[in-house]
Every structure is written in structure tokens, then in C-alpha cells.
Amino acid sequence: MDLLSERIKNMVESSTLAMAAKAREMKQKGFDVISLSLGEPDFKTPKHIQEGAKKAIDDGKYFSYAPVNGYLDLREAISEKFKKENELNYAPDQIVVSNGAKQSIANLFLALLDPGDEVIIYAPYWVSYSALVELAEGKCVLIKGDIKDDFKANADQLKAAITDKTKAVIFSSPCNPTGSVFTREDFEAMAQVLSAHPEIIVIADEIYELINFAGAHVSIGSLPGMEHRTVTVNGFAKGFAMTGWRVGYIGAPLWLAKAANKIQGQITSANCSIAQRAALTALTSPKEASKAMANAYYQRRQLVYDLLKKIPGVEVNMPQGAFYFFPDVSSYFGKKEIHNAADLCIYLLEESHVSLVSGEGFGEPNCLRLSYAASEEHLKMALARITKALEKLI
Ligand code: GLU
């Protein structure tokens, strides 16, 4: 007897987490696997942030449920950060702190979508966007960017995708999985199209804000006319190397923040009190550690780019942020037993013991995602192994 709901049966597994689990499994069996699948800083959470958590435990004041939307002082600090760093005006009661940006986004889709409502997703996109839209019974409408345009869909594509069922638009900048960064001009063009559709909510996922090599980070919510309809999503995982702590947040129009709060109150109560105190330390301390990590990613980006460029049949662009490459590997399809990117991913895992993620789950089946949040030594080794394994296919 199959007791599972249609909802769960129809849901796809997170391909990033699935590949990470596969790599872990092989490692446990004794294989020397280099894992470039999970988008996770290889750095430890900076010491002063760890100390913030330890102090919270020693204080003994943070063992009870936190307010559903997060501690007021943390929300005040986030409000201040939005104002100072992003030119965004979200009052503390417009902020909801969640168990990672993933939960923030789940809250939003559950709050916004009725069955059949459409969400325009800039593709390639992070795997969980589509799964969460579908969980909320919405419909994904993809607008796809080409590698030749740094994977950035343009404003005409946005305009063509809007229907009377469009409820929201979502993108990440810097982008997971492509590393693309929208410029102010890109956002102005987007805002121009959206000005004719004030009922559409814009969800800007800025979780990679601190890993941006393109210059100043721009928040679409800071553009004229965008403030009251934009939800800005951010968190601590990537910029502060705090993936396991699970702290994400949104700044949103008040009615939507209240709805996210209501959902969260029923699903998780609030997020971990100690993790919130660590997050407050991260936000209110100098950002030297984050800058040092971003510098390391910058060096590695060049290293990996040069090595990828040398592999015949691999098309690659230079990402402007985050810590991913998203090369087109379709020239290998049809060689030996490789039919698609998923096959190639498995082949590379088995043949070279390097784990990557197939582009399929990101809405681009011609590509593979490689996370370069790994040491230079591991990256060099991984690229040498990948090159050798791909040579065998030619
Ligand atoms: N966001 C990271 C990634 O894309 C972590 C895994 C996940 O939640 O998808 O790899």
C-alpha cells in the first residue's frame, strides 16, 4: 500500500544534496572523492562568530523559544544592514528570520501561491526554486539565459513571460548556479517591464551578496518603484561560512512578512536561538573574514577557469560572483555511454572520483555545476582528474 501523498510523490529530490550524499557515501567506502557538488564554503565559521554562540550559551539567557520572526535585536541589525549596505528600507517588523534562506523562500511561495498561479524563474536557477513553487501548487515559467549572455535572460523575455496568472518573479544575483551578476542596468530594464504590472512580487535572492567580483552589489528593491513590491532574501551561510547554523532572512512588505511569520509559527516556531546570536555577532562585527574568503574564491576562480578552458569540448564563461562554474558539456553527449549531463556526472564520479551536479535540476541540461569552494590543491587535483576522464571519452 502506498500511503504517500501525491505532493511528495511528485516532488523531486534536491540534486545538490543528493550528489553530496553520493559523494559522502563513496568517501565512507574508502574512495578518495573530491566533492565539488555542494555549494558550501570550505572555510570554518570565523572564530569571533563561534565565540558569539559560546557566549550566548554561557549567558544562559537563550535557551527558550525565540520569537517566531527572530530576536528583535537581530531584526534591528538586519534592518540597519539593509539600510546601510543595500539602500533598502525594511523596518524590523518587515523582517523574518528563518532556518536558512531555503525556508524563507518556502514561506514566501506558501504564502503567495494558489493552485495554478505562475512564478517566473530566471533560469538557470537554484534547484529548490522550482521544487518549492510546485510544493505550493504553483506553476514554474522559466525564462532562460544563454551562456553567451552570461546566462542572463533579458527584459524582453520577462515581458513575454508575464500573464494574468503571474504572481511572482524570482532570481538570484550573484546567481547559483551560474555566478552571473545582474547590473544596475539589467535591473532598470527589469523594473521598467514590471512597472506595468504592480501586482507581481519580486523575490531577489541575495544570499551570495558577499561573493561578488563585479563591483558593488545592487539590490533591485532599491530602485525607484520597486521598494514596496520586492522581497529581499539573504542569509549567513555563504558569506560568513555558516551553512550548518541555518540562518536566513527576508525583508518584505509588511503583509507578506506577517504571512511568512504565520506559516513559520505553525511549521518551525522559530529558528535556533543560539544560531541567531551567532548571526547577530556576524552582522555587527567587522567583515574582514568574509572579505578574506571572497578573496580566496577570487583567486580560485581564475585557477579553475584556466583549467576548464583547456579541456576540449567544454564551453565555459567567467562567472562574476558566487563560487560556481556552470560549463556546457553537451559536446560529450552521445560519446560512449554518455547521453546527458546526469550520465556525465555519474561517469565523472565513478571514473575520476570528483562529484559535480548535473545541470538538469538547475533548468539547463547541457551543463554541469562545479563548486570551487574547495582548496586550490583539491581544485587542481579535481580538474586534472576530470580532464583525464573526459579524454577517455573522445
Ligand atoms: N545552496 C547550496 C547548493 O546549491 C547548498 C545545497 C542546497 O541547499 O541546495 O549547493
Side-chain angles (χ1 to χ4, degrees):
M1 193 165 44
D2 187 354
L3 296 178
L4 291 173
S5 69
E6 290 305 311
R7 180 179 304 114
I8 194 69
K9 280 192 260 179
N10 291 333
M11 184 185 236
V12 291
E13 194 180 351
S14 161
S15 54
T16 51
L17 299 182
M19 257 334 257
K22 232 177 225 145
R24 219 174 278 141
E25 217 172 87
M26 280 187 70
K27 268 187 202 167
Q28 272 160 4
K29 285 187 186 148
F31 291 102
D32 166 29
V33 175
I34 303 176
S35 182
L36 307 183
S37 43
L38 200 56
E40 167 153 72
D42 57 315
F43 298 103
K44 286 208 164 55
T45 304
K47 227 25 225 179
H48 67 282
I49 301 175
Q50 297 179 32
E51 293 304 328
K54 285 186 197 161
K55 183 171 176 308
I57 292 177
D58 291 341
D59 281 353
K61 287 193 298 196
Y62 299 101
F63 299 144
S64 311
Y65 289 122
V68 175
N69 54 354
Y71 288 117
L72 178 60
D73 54 0
L74 176 58
R75 286 182 290 113
E76 282 170 347
I78 292 169
S79 171
E80 200 53 30
K81 173 245 181 292
F82 273 140
K83 201 167 295 159
K84 275 207 193 122
E85 298 175 10
N86 308 111
E87 296 170 49
L88 294 168
N89 294 304
Y90 297 111
D93 60 352
Q94 291 178 262
I95 287 158
V96 181
V97 179
S98 300
N99 293 277
K102 191 181 281 188
Q103 190 189 18
S104 300
I105 293 168
N107 287 344
L108 291 171
F109 290 141
L110 290 170
L112 282 171
L113 303 181
D114 283 317
D117 282 346
E118 295 176 2
V119 177
I120 298 176
I121 304 179
Y122 278 73
Y125 57 87
W126 177 46
V127 294
S128 294
Y129 292 166
S130 53
L132 293 173
V133 167
E134 283 162 12
L135 180 69
E137 298 183 58
K139 188 174 158 223
C140 303
V141 176
L142 306 185
I143 52 175
K144 214 160 158 177
D146 193 274
I147 191 167
K148 306 218 164 32
D149 305 314
D150 282 333
F151 292 107
K152 291 195 275 186
N154 61 39
D156 291 336
Q157 288 172 274
L158 173 63
K159 191 171 178 182
I162 293 173
T163 72
D164 56 5
K165 286 204 174 302
T166 308
K167 233 5 192 325
V169 176
I170 186 166
F171 59 83
S172 57
S173 177
C175 174
N176 176 4
T178 64
S180 304
V181 173
F182 283 117
T183 62
R184 185 171 293 278
E185 291 69 37
D186 293 329
F187 282 143
E188 278 167 357
M190 227 188 260
Q192 169 75 30
V193 171
L194 290 166
S195 64
H197 304 276
E199 69 292 351
I200 297 175
I201 293 294
V202 177
I203 303 174
D205 179 353
E206 305 188 358
I207 187 83
Y208 293 92
E209 173 186 14
L210 296 180
I211 311 165
N212 179 349
F213 317 121
H217 173 81
V218 183
S219 293
I220 189 170
S222 69
L223 266 61
M226 295 304 292
E227 183 172 315
H228 300 295
R229 60 184 304 178
T230 299
V231 183
T232 307
V233 181
N234 211 324
F236 295 85
K238 315 296 180 179
F240 297 95
M242 290 177 71
T243 49
W245 300 74
R246 311 309 300 131
V247 195
Y249 58 87
I250 54 166
L254 188 58
W255 59 272
L256 190 45
K258 280 186 176 165
N261 190 46
K262 188 169 162 188
I263 289 168
Q264 191 158 291
Q266 291 290 15
I267 294 184
T268 56
S269 302
N271 87 312
C272 168
S273 57
I274 304 300
Q276 287 191 54
R277 304 319 290 168
L280 181 63
T281 308
L283 217 51
T284 53
S285 308
K287 305 247 171 28
E288 299 318 315
S290 298
K291 283 181 198 148
M293 290 188 266
N295 278 339
Y297 298 134
Y298 181 74
Q299 309 291 340
R300 296 168 186 181
R301 179 183 71 146
Q302 191 65 48
L303 171 84
V304 175
Y305 180 74
D306 293 341
L307 293 171
L308 281 173
K309 270 286 207 209
K310 285 192 193 143
I311 307 178
V314 169
E315 189 182 355
V316 64
N317 70 328
M318 186 60 126
Q320 296 301 308
F323 38 54
Y324 304 110
F325 278 91
F326 200 57
D328 185 319
V329 290
S330 55
S331 71
Y332 287 91
F333 300 170
K335 311 249 189 223
K336 299 201 175 148
E337 74 272 36
I338 310 299
H339 303 293
N340 50 41
D343 288 345
L344 193 60
C345 236
I346 296 298
Y347 170 77
L348 289 173
L349 182 61
E350 286 171 354
E351 180 69 28
S352 64
H353 299 160
V354 177
S355 73
L356 306 171
V357 189
S358 163
E360 203 123 42
F362 301 96
E364 179 41 89
N366 287 333
C367 295
L368 291 180
R369 191 189 74 171
L370 178 155
S371 160
Y372 58 91
S375 70
E376 290 200 6
E377 186 198 344
H378 276 139
L379 290 169
K380 280 186 201 154
M381 219 186 314
L383 268 296
R385 290 189 198 174
I386 292 172
T387 306
K388 204 162 147 206
L390 290 180
E391 265 167 16
K392 288 192 187 166
L393 291 176
I394 302 175

